[in-house]
Each structure stands twice: as structure tokens, then as C-alpha cells.
Amino acid sequence: MDSAEIRQRFLTFFAERGHLVVPSAPLVVDDPTLLFVNAGMVPFKPYFLGEAVPPSPRATSVQKCVRTLDIDEVGKTTRHASFFQMCGNFSFGDYFKEQAIPLAWELLTRPVADGGFGFPEARLWPTVYEDDDEAADLWQRVIGVPAERIQRRGKADNFWSMGVPGPCGPCSEIYYDRGAEHGRDGGPVADEDRYLEVWNLVFMQFERGAGTGKDDYPIYGELPAKNIDTGMGLERMATLLQGVDNLYEIDTTRVILDRAMELSGARYGVDRRADVGLRVVADHSRTCAFLVADGVLPGNEGRGYVLRRLMRRVIRTMRLLGATEPTMGELAAAAIAAMGPQYPELVTDAARITAAYQNEEQAFLATLRTGTAIFDTAVTEVKRSGATVLPGDKAFALHDTYGFPIDLTLEMAAEQGISVDEAGFRQLMTEQRSRAKADSQARKAGLADTTVYRDVLDAHGTTDWLAYEGLETDASVVALLSAGQPVPALGAGEIGTAFLDRTTFYAESGGQHADAGTIVGDGVTVEVLDVQRPVRGLVAHQVRVTRGELVVGQQVQAKVDARWRHGARQAHSGTHVVHAALREVLGPQALQAGSFNRPGYLRLDFSWTSALSKTSRGDIEHVSNRAVRDDLPVSVAYMSLQQAQDFGALALFGETYGETVRVVEIGGPWSRELCGGTHVSASSQIGPLAVTAESSVGSGVRRIEAVVGLPAYEYLARERDLVGQLSDLLKVPPAELPGRIEGMMSRLRDAEREVTRLRQDALAADFASIVGEGVRAGKVTVWAFTAPAGTDGGTVRDLVLRARGEAGAEPAAVLGAAVSDGKVALVAAVNPGARDAGITARELLAAALPAVAGRGGGKDDVAQGGGTDPAGVAAALRAAVDLVTERTGG
């Protein structure tokens, strides 16, 4: 059963039992405690916490997840992966243990022919939390599992949370016994390789606080309702249903692993080191494709750093496996081919994903060149001192400062006849990781621990929020924080958090950016940097004191920047207009999946599986501006959620709704949405709207971006000026520009092809003079030649293969070299006769590379590499001839 079918069976089973099917959310999540979505329940967190009312009491999804805590274990074990898909069914106060357990059991054990997974009941072992007698009783009395197959485990194993403050609860896991050949008997408590976890039923009923381990955190109390959060790992299920040994060998991962073998020459299942490397490449390549698709690009901070680290691990590992040419483009294609059937947006966004892979590879290869030069200097110093060990701090500096992988340092040191102080390096790495982990935990706790906010709320009550009623209000400072701790005052230049008894500032929510403005009082002026709602009912202003001192109890005036608010209203109403235009042009299935807006700018994510055509994009822009022109009325009404849904208002997963909701209409039913944002009073106040971009951001999710108001006019003016400049430069009217530029590009491509053809023809004509006469070495004839300066590696390869071909059946070995831009390209090739005589292309290349300070590899018949010392080319060619002579006795 392939992965796509497993996914569909799961969703169909729960849809037939009243669960709303929810598409996977993007991996990038608006949660300060998480870099990426790391569990299937993350998009539903507000519903579990009671901060929002879900559109349906039951839901099911297959959620993309990324976990990077165990990244160094990927490949070393057969259970760790950085990317996985979590199939889940969720109940928001609708059903609990007595229904969740039978549902899981039914799907697992129902025959395949009837839509189930067909697991034999006798091979399934449930575990329960140590004091959860209710779950144990349900397993034994209702399901009929013998008591000896029900095992109790402690908090570290059977009490679940996301690892950060939020919902949590005891869980019951289901394990599948793979048989005695996979380990010892005794159930999951004895061996989790033999007994593989396939399902986790979390009985979500508590809220936890901050902590540092799996069982070291406080429990605040019970959630507003008892909920169900389950998880069935799709990759783990595929491992069992496809009869393979581990998750790296299932259909969607093996495709990438096999391509990595082809590109590197390594073989899976022969050598443990190669196996680990190929697994790393397969796992990380897939993860990177989804991260790029969801809008992440390689960088030096946050999510970008994680992606860069994963990509560079792939590049490094492929080189260690034997690849000598760039491979990231091919690996991107393999990842897209593997996952495209389940996530078609990967296919439509393939060009952007591939470009990100290739650009990072090019940048990292430059890093490797720099690191090689630093390494050579360090080795020279070691040898000059008479030592034979590269110090650990040198290896660490190479890794930490220049991004030079330790695996390459070890390999290159061995080639130079020295070793590396690995223990010293590992110690420095451990110290660095400890510092980073401590910083991360402190940062995470500071963002996530709501205790201090709860204290403010308990002491002073909810904030009287007046954002809809005006821009200014008198207020009193009820509390101040500095570095997360209560303080009596904030002085000039200090940044902190201010809480007022009332405020007109809009707190960031529903995709709308927080208001800007000031808080002023007697002798004090405060700039408002950000406004958030850390806990329900409380508004927190992040502020910088620009004059005087802000003191608890002080009377102040909150003043929203009027120009900022006007721009925010234009952008938020513009978002609703674009959403309505999308649905009018594409159909009702183009449903909003997320949004963000600030003055002058908006972006809207929507459910759609392919890129928009130019026509559709133009139609959306036209319909949006038509709505602006028609000066549609904008109205607001309050009602219950059920009334709003009956009224036809759109309620979307991911938005926060309370008992009473706010419905915003633009043009009556044309745009009717639940929304807490600020809006214009008529659509004409939005001003012009220009669509600037459309792209993919996730599984079945596209993103459209636009500018509104004065920024839209400025954007269109710049476009007009650019067209005018091109028109003047090419001396044609604007309407003729596309045809003129297309003709120029066509002529340029033709010219480039002609130049390439002429260069190849010239080399072919001079083939005999370039290659020269072969040298007889025993039974093997050796050709060792240098191509004309400027010849690229691909052309050298063509010359070498032609020379080998012209040798016919006679044993032949060929080594070709060329120098271009100060770099050396080397290609070696042998025919079957030479291989029978004990000569391989890899050995031929290896003999030549040291003379040119080069690296490379390949297969027995063809190998390729490069070097940085053109002066050593002649010596490299001699070394190849000498190797053949020595081997054949010539």
C-alpha cells in the first residue's frame, strides 16, 4: 500500500464518521515557541486551549511536521527523521477515551478490502499512563485486549505535550509486534525496535507550563473541555504496510535514496557508513523541499539557519559518498517526484525549489574552497612543528567560523598523514551546543511562560479594549515589565512591556499588524513598538521610553498614529476584497488559509493546488479594483458563531473566535467574513490595489500579495517609468516591447548555441593533436593529455570518452586535463580491457589529484575531479602513466 493510499484511507475513515477534513497547515507557524509545526495538533492549539470556537467539533488532517532536535541522529538510527506526516483525528470537547480508542482499533484492524489497514489483533500492544485505570479498562473490557498485552508507563513515555507550554495530557499508544527476528519479546517496555509504535491517543485535558524535560514541568490545571488529539505517523505506517525494514526504504523516501546512489556511486546495504549517509541525504532532501515550498530560504538565523544546515549536510554527505559534480538540483527533482503525488504544489513550484537548492550548493562549495585554504595553512603549521595531530581548536574554528564540516577535516587530514584531536573538537562542540541550548530554552521560556501575564490579569482584570471606538483614550498604567519581570518604572531609553487599564491600540491578531503610536503623560513620552494579547483579555504594549519616566499608576493618554491606522484599515479591507475576488474568479474552493496585512501591504494564503495563470491573476486584480470603484458599503454586526455560519459568514480554521463573533460585510453577501480587524467604512477608501506576486507556500496553499492605497499608486508609477525607459532604450512603443525583447532573447540564445558549436567543432577537428599518441604500458595503452586553456570540464570529458572509444577492444586508460580560470579539471576513463588488467578510473584519478591539490571521485569506468594548482598538471599526467606502468609491469 503506497503512502498516498494510506493517507487517503485515514482521511476517508474519519470523514465518514463526522470529522471535518482540514488540509495541512504550512510548516511555518505563527507561534513564538515553535520554529516549525512539529505535531499534528499545532494548528488546532487555540481550540484545545478554549481561546477559539472551532467550526466543527470533530476534525481530521494529515499534517506536515518538521522536528530538528534529533537532527544528528538522522540516518544513524532507522527511527529518526526530520520530516514526517502525522495523520490525526481531533475532538474539541465532543468525544473522549471511550470513543477514541475504538475508532483507532477499528481502522487498524479492519480488513484492507473494507478500507482498513488489516493488522492482526494479536500483534497489537497498547500502553497507558501509569495511573490511567480508565484507559486500561477500556482496552481490556471494550476492545478485548488481554491484560498481559496492556502495559503501563510513566510520564516520560505516556504523558504528551509539544515540549513547550500549552495543552497536554496522558496518552495511550498502540504498538505493533514485528516478530522475534526484530528483537526480544516482552512488549514495548522491553524493545521498541521490535514493537513499533503506530498510534498515539492523547487524552488532552490539562495545560502545562514551562520546563526543561519530558517530565519536568508544572500542570496549571484542566482545559475548558476534555479533548482528543491522536497521531498516526504516515511514514511509520508505510514501513509496516510496505514490508520494508525502516522508514528510509518506503516509497516516498527510497526514490530519493536511489537517486543519491546513482549520483554518488555509493551502494546501500553494503557499508554502514554509506547507509547512514544515504539516509541523511534522502531525509534532508525531502525536508528541504517542503521548507522552501512553505517560504523558507537558507539564512543565518532562525528557520533559515535550520534549512541551511540541512542543505549543507546533504551537500557535504554527497561529497563524502563520492559525488564530484553538483547534485542538489537532481536531489530536488527526486524529492519533488517522490512527494508530488500527495502535494502537487511541489510540482508547480519546482523551479523555485530547485533554484534554492542549487544556489545554496554553489555558496557552500565556495565555503569549502575557503575552508580548504585555511586547512592547508593549519596542516603546514602542524607539520612544521613536528606534530602529527591537528589541534581540536583548529578543527573547531574551521567548523564554527568557516562552516567547514568535521567529516571533511578528518578525511583531508588522513590524506595529509596526520590525525585530528577529535576529543578536543567534540568537547568544544558540546560546550557550544550547551550554550545554544541554554539560550534557546531561556528564550523559549521567556516567550512562552504566561505566568507573569496571568498575574497581571488576576491583579488588574481584563484590558478595556477600545480600538473600534477611536484613536485616543485616557488610561492608567497598571503594570510594567522589564526583561519579563515586574518593575515599578521604566526610564528613558528602556524597552519594556506596559499594561493599561484601557487602550485604543489594535493588538496583532487575525493577520492584522499591531498599531503604531505613542503613550504620553506628564513629563513622559513612550513609543509603542508592538501590541499583543499574551493571554485572553489582556493587551500588552511593547514600548520604548523616549522621554522621562513611565511609572506604575501614572495617568497617561494612549494615542494611535492616525496615518498608520488609516493604512491598516485600507490593507485589511483590501484583504477581504481580494479574498472575495479570488472566490469569484476561481470558485468557492479558493478559501483563505491565512493572511497578513499592514499599512500599504497585504498577503493572503488560499487553498489552491496550482499556480495562477496570468489571466486569473489579472481577473483577480480587476475584480478587486471594480469593488473599490463601486464604493461598496462596509458594515459590522455581532452575533453567535452559529448565527454567523447560518448567515453565510466564512469561519476559518486558524482564526480565533469567541462565543460572540463579529461579522464584517463588504457589499453585503459578496464579502461576508468573521473578523476582528479594523476596516474602512466604504470600499472606495481602500484606494487602488495592485497584485505584486503569487506563489506557493505549502501543501495545497498558494499566496497572493498586493499593495493598496498610495503604495499601490507608487508601485504602478514605478512600473510605468520602467516601461517608459525600456521603450526609449529600444525605440519602440510600449505595446511592442514584449515582441522586441523576445526577438532579442531568441537571437542571443542562437548566438550562444553557435559559439558553443564552433568551439566543439574546433576541438573535434584538433582531436588528434590534442590527445596525441598513446604510451604503451604493458598490455595497456595510456593517453594523458592537456586540452587547450579555457576548455570546460564537460568538454574534457567528451574528449576523454572519445579517446577511450577509438581504442576499440584494446586495453586503454585515458586521463585528460584542462585549466580554466585558474582551476584544473581532470577526467579519467578506462575500458573493460584496462579494468581486466587491474586499472580503474578512480585509481587513475586518485593518482593524479595530489599534484594539482585536487579532490574528486567516480566509478570504475569514469571518474572526474578538480584541483586548484595548475602548475601541477604535468606532474598529474605523469603520475597517471606511472600508476599504469607500475600495475601492468610495462
Side-chain angles (χ1 to χ4, degrees), residues 456-457 459-466 473-480 498-505 519 537-541 551-558:
V456 173
L457 188 64
H460 304 286
T462 59
T463 307
D464 187 7
W465 190 58
L466 307 171
T473 185
D474 294 329
S476 175
V477 180
V478 298
L480 295 170
F499 301 91
L500 310 179
D501 62 343
R502 64 178 64 88
T503 184
T504 52
F505 280 86
I519 298 173
L538 189 68
V539 177
H541 308 75
V551 181
V552 172
Q554 188 173 14
Q555 297 301 304
V556 294
Q557 191 174 36

Side-chain angles (χ1 to χ4, degrees), residues 176-180 182-186 191-196:
Y176 176 75
D177 181 3
R178 297 198 290 167
H182 291 279
R184 55 194 176 132
D185 59 14
D191 190 335
E192 288 196 10
D193 284 323
R194 170 176 170 173
Y195 299 89
L196 196 66

Side-chain angles (χ1 to χ4, degrees), residues 629-692:
R629 179 204 64 191
D630 291 347
D631 196 22
L632 302 175
V634 178
S635 62
V636 175
Y638 293 87
M639 58 192 74
S640 71
L641 178 59
Q642 187 59 53
Q643 288 173 325
Q645 291 175 323
D646 294 342
F647 189 49
L650 297 176
L652 311 171
F653 266 101
E655 296 291 338
T656 302
Y657 306 124
E659 297 271 340
T660 300
V661 297
R662 183 172 181 260
V663 178
V664 176
E665 286 188 326
I666 301 179
W670 184 72
S671 172
R672 185 177 284 159
E673 297 189 28
L674 275 63
C675 179
T678 60
H679 289 272
V680 298
S681 57
S683 63
S684 61
Q685 296 173 7
I686 296 171
L689 186 149
V691 174
T692 58

